[in-house]
Amino acid sequence: MTNYRSNIDEAATLIKSEGSAWNAINPESVARMRLQNRFKTGLDIAKYTAKIMREDMDNYDKDSSQYTQSLGCWHGFIGQQKMISIKKHLLTTKRRYLYLSGWMVAALRSEFGPLPDQSMHEKTSVAALIKELYTFLRQADARELGGLFQALDNADESEKAAIQHKIENFETHVVPIIADIDAGFGNEEATYLMAKQMIEAGACCIQLENQVSDVKQCGHQDGKVTVPHVEFLAKINAVRYAFLELGIDDGVIVARTDSLGAGLTQKIAVTDKAGDLGEQYNSFLEVEAADTATLKNGDVVFQQDGKLVKPARLPNGLFKFRAGTGEARCVLDCITSLQNGADLLWIETEKPHVSQIGGMVNEIRKVIPNAKLVYNNSPSFNWTLNFRQQVFDAMQAAGQDVSAYDRAQLMSVDYDTTELAIQADEKIRTFQADAAREAGIFHHLITLPTYHTAALSTDNLAKEYFGDQGMLGYVANVQRKEIRQGIACVKHQNMAGSDMGDAHKEYFSGDQALKASGKDNTMNQF
């Protein structure tokens, strides 16, 4: 943070140079407003946060316990409250990011209304949410600093140095956002244009997936279709060009592969010579020997290992990969992406299993020793059932008696107090640290948590308020908890900017300012 006193002196020098016309401008008020608005543009934010993310990546390479985390946020207010809470409870925002989920943009931010995660929402809605998130994070800075300035004005002389120290060492709420660009919303030019808009809004990190953009599916649904490597690499190049054009030379690209759960491709890759990427991609296709005497109209054939083969083709024209090739395809996708400009990897898996993820990462690291992942701790996984089954299987493999458990019914509340369930919960608790250490996961995120928390809290409130608890349903379960837990937005007028507005009115109008925070403000009850 720039020195508070030097900001005042700079403003005073400027005001003096303008003569008597600027006599009403207070240099300390100018300094305060400048400090409350540290980031002037989205590109300022992208430059600042890219540096943070690169430093975090370097620190993780030295010590895997230094992994990073985020939660997906679908509104600026949600992201703001998350970062305010992190500062309150953990005293620092270091290694905590925001995640912007294309799933939540589709489900919650489209003008079409709720949509599935199939890239049908407006292209501009992702950049708009990035801008909104950073608007709210910057407002969180302004609000907290405003409170410190007010405290400075009201402090005794003996208290002022400590408050000024807090001002000078203020830690911003502005943190990196990992932003989901889906499959690029079109060809490589469309990907470039959208990436550029996202970066201008403040994104220092863009996540791109290797699905076909016009038939994109959620990574946890069926029907995913991948593209040949050359097409995906062209889109990685497009994102890098967007970063470089805008002066974000250290922008971060996350290459996501959906190959583990994708059994289809839209195209047979072009191959020019034996062993090239096109041939490697095609080697995973399900094929049969082609008999030219029995070929049908429209059949596709190509040469593989010196033989003419016919790939398995569905009625919709898509081609099938051989069953069981998903992990090998993931590994090739990841190596290829890192060798061609990506910085981090994202492997979308069907379950949260450290050994499975780590096995693939170990194969990747044979070629790229510092390969590291962004991993989706997805709400699409049934975490309780998955980990209870993992513990069950480990106990069974170790020869322990598991006759008291029904593996298919381990979700049941009846097992909640058992040793198996306790072990499973401990594995869930330590999953992020374990996976960071054993599976190369640099960044852990939950894509959709605030979608679920909004639904859960609203369900609880509706049940109580519209039931026999009436107003007590709100007071006991919301407001009373807010007050006792020190939730900042219990003073919702303050959170919305009322006190900052009062300060500005005083700067602009002096003693004539009509303030909202007088004795009749009901927020004084808090």
Side-chain angles (χ1 to χ4, degrees), residues 466-485:
F466 293 103
D468 59 9
Q469 293 301 297
M471 193 58 197
L472 184 60
Y474 173 77
V475 172
N477 296 313
V478 181
Q479 190 181 75
R480 194 176 293 163
K481 290 182 178 180
E482 282 183 305
I483 295 169
R484 291 175 177 173
Q485 290 179 220

Side-chain angles (χ1 to χ4, degrees), residues 118 211 215-225 261-264:
Q118 296 173 356
Q211 291 190 47
V215 292
K216 179 258 189 302
Q217 294 275 27
C218 171
H220 292 279
Q221 291 184 312
D222 203 358
K224 295 182 290 295
V225 185
L264 302 169

Side-chain angles (χ1 to χ4, degrees), residues 23-233:
N23 281 350
I25 305 299
N26 183 317
E28 187 161 13
S29 299
V30 173
R32 290 179 175 188
M33 294 178 78
R34 283 178 173 176
L35 292 177
Q36 286 175 294
N37 187 27
R38 174 180 174 182
F39 302 99
K40 306 301 187 287
T41 70
L43 290 179
D44 290 340
I45 292 170
K47 288 177 182 177
Y48 169 77
T49 54
K51 183 174 183 291
I52 289 174
M53 200 164 174
R54 290 287 180 176
E55 289 173 352
D56 286 345
M57 290 162 66
D58 289 342
N59 290 335
Y60 172 81
D61 286 341
K62 298 168 189 170
D63 178 2
S64 65
S65 71
Q66 300 301 298
Y67 61 89
T68 57
Q69 299 167 289
S70 66
L71 296 173
C73 299
W74 53 271
H75 191 278
F77 177 74
I78 301 295
Q80 178 198 63
Q81 294 305 301
K82 186 189 102 169
M83 297 315 302
I84 288 173
S85 293
I86 286 171
K87 282 193 72 175
K88 180 180 76 172
H89 294 295
L90 303 172
L91 306 180
T92 180
T93 62
K94 293 185 188 306
R95 297 189 289 116
R96 279 94 191 185
Y97 304 169
L98 294 182
Y99 180 66
L100 187 154
S101 161
W103 193 102
M104 284 207 286
V105 172
L108 298 170
R109 301 300 299 251
S110 173
E111 292 184 12
F112 292 105
L115 293 172
D117 185 21
Q118 296 173 356
S119 291
M120 295 190 291
H121 53 279
E122 302 85 353
K123 293 182 181 182
T124 55
S125 57
V126 178
L129 179 53
I130 295 169
K131 183 178 180 181
E132 177 181 290
L133 284 162
Y134 280 129
T135 296
F136 274 80
L137 294 183
R138 290 164 65 211
Q139 194 258 12
D141 280 1
R143 172 190 163 274
E144 187 175 333
L145 281 165
L148 289 172
F149 295 143
Q150 189 176 50
L152 186 64
D153 291 340
N154 297 329
D156 295 333
E157 202 60 41
S158 61
E159 301 169 322
K160 288 188 175 181
I163 297 170
Q164 187 160 323
H165 178 78
K166 289 182 179 179
I167 293 169
E168 306 240 349
N169 293 278
F170 179 79
E171 185 176 24
T172 178
H173 296 83
V174 170
V175 296
I177 288 178
I178 297 176
D180 185 1
I181 200 172
D182 282 8
F185 285 79
N187 62 17
E188 58 269 39
E189 173 69 2
T191 303
Y192 153 77
L193 291 171
M194 189 169 172
K196 189 174 172 182
Q197 191 178 64
M198 291 164 66
I199 298 161
E200 288 171 334
C204 73
C205 178
I206 292 177
Q207 167 212 327
L208 176 69
E209 63 199 58
N210 69 334
Q211 291 190 47
V212 177
S213 61
D214 59 348
V215 292
K216 179 258 189 302
Q217 294 275 27
C218 171
H220 292 279
Q221 291 184 312
D222 203 358
K224 295 182 290 295
V225 185
T226 63
V227 297
H229 294 94
V230 66
E231 293 187 23
F232 187 57
L233 298 180

Side-chain angles (χ1 to χ4, degrees), residues 430-447:
T430 63
F431 173 78
Q432 294 188 341
D434 294 343
R437 182 181 62 253
E438 299 170 23
I441 297 178
F442 158 73
H443 185 79
H444 282 277
L445 59 90
I446 308 178
T447 43

Side-chain angles (χ1 to χ4, degrees), residues 233-471:
L233 298 180
K235 290 186 177 182
I236 289 176
N237 289 340
V239 175
R240 181 64 66 202
Y241 271 106
F243 273 125
L244 294 174
E245 178 183 342
L246 295 171
I248 314 301
D249 296 347
D250 51 357
V252 180
I253 299 173
V254 179
R256 167 175 154 178
T257 173
D258 281 288
S259 290
L260 195 62
L264 302 169
T265 184
Q266 195 177 54
K267 296 178 181 178
I268 296 171
V270 174
T271 173
D272 298 317
K273 59 183 179 180
D276 65 12
L277 272 179
E279 184 170 84
Q280 290 180 69
Y281 187 78
N282 294 341
S283 71
F284 295 114
L285 291 169
E286 182 179 312
V287 299
E288 61 180 72
D291 184 347
T292 55
T294 60
L295 288 179
K296 300 176 183 176
N297 190 44
D299 276 352
V300 174
V301 296
F302 64 92
Q303 186 170 291
Q304 187 178 80
D305 297 327
K307 300 175 183 177
L308 202 62
V309 296
K310 182 175 73 170
R313 192 180 192 186
L314 302 179
N316 57 17
L318 299 173
F319 300 97
K320 293 174 63 178
F321 288 113
R322 295 194 318 278
T325 62
E327 289 198 7
R329 284 184 281 127
C330 275
V331 170
L332 179 60
D333 294 344
C334 291
I335 292 171
T336 301
S337 296
L338 292 177
Q339 288 175 330
N340 289 274
D343 303 292
L344 294 168
L345 303 171
W346 174 315
I347 299 175
E348 196 69 272
T349 66
E350 81 285 0
K351 59 182 180 293
H353 198 294
V354 173
S355 296
Q356 180 200 28
I357 304 161
M360 288 186 281
V361 171
N362 288 337
E363 289 300 310
I364 296 162
R365 284 183 166 178
K366 290 177 181 177
V367 181
I368 314 287
N370 69 337
K372 41 192 172 288
L373 299 187
V374 172
Y375 188 71
N376 178 9
N377 292 229
S378 177
S380 292
F381 303 141
N382 184 332
W383 285 78
T384 301
L385 183 60
N386 264 291
F387 276 84
R388 287 183 181 182
Q389 289 180 339
Q390 287 180 38
V391 172
F392 178 97
D393 294 342
M395 290 171 65
Q396 190 174 58
Q400 293 179 248
D401 182 9
V402 292
S403 60
Y405 304 104
D406 180 346
R407 189 179 188 279
Q409 299 300 320
L410 288 175
M411 184 68 192
S412 172
V413 68
D414 295 339
Y415 294 119
D416 282 359
T417 58
T418 63
E419 180 60 28
L420 182 148
I422 292 168
Q423 286 187 42
D425 280 355
E426 180 62 11
K427 284 184 174 292
I428 293 170
R429 187 186 72 81
T430 63
F431 173 78
Q432 294 188 341
D434 294 343
R437 182 181 62 253
E438 299 170 23
I441 297 178
F442 158 73
H443 185 79
H444 282 277
L445 59 90
I446 308 178
T447 43
L448 323 175
T450 52
Y451 178 90
H452 292 281
T453 55
L456 179 62
S457 61
T458 302
D459 180 78
N460 289 331
L461 177 59
K463 175 180 65 178
E464 298 287 339
Y465 178 75
F466 293 103
D468 59 9
Q469 293 301 297
M471 193 58 197

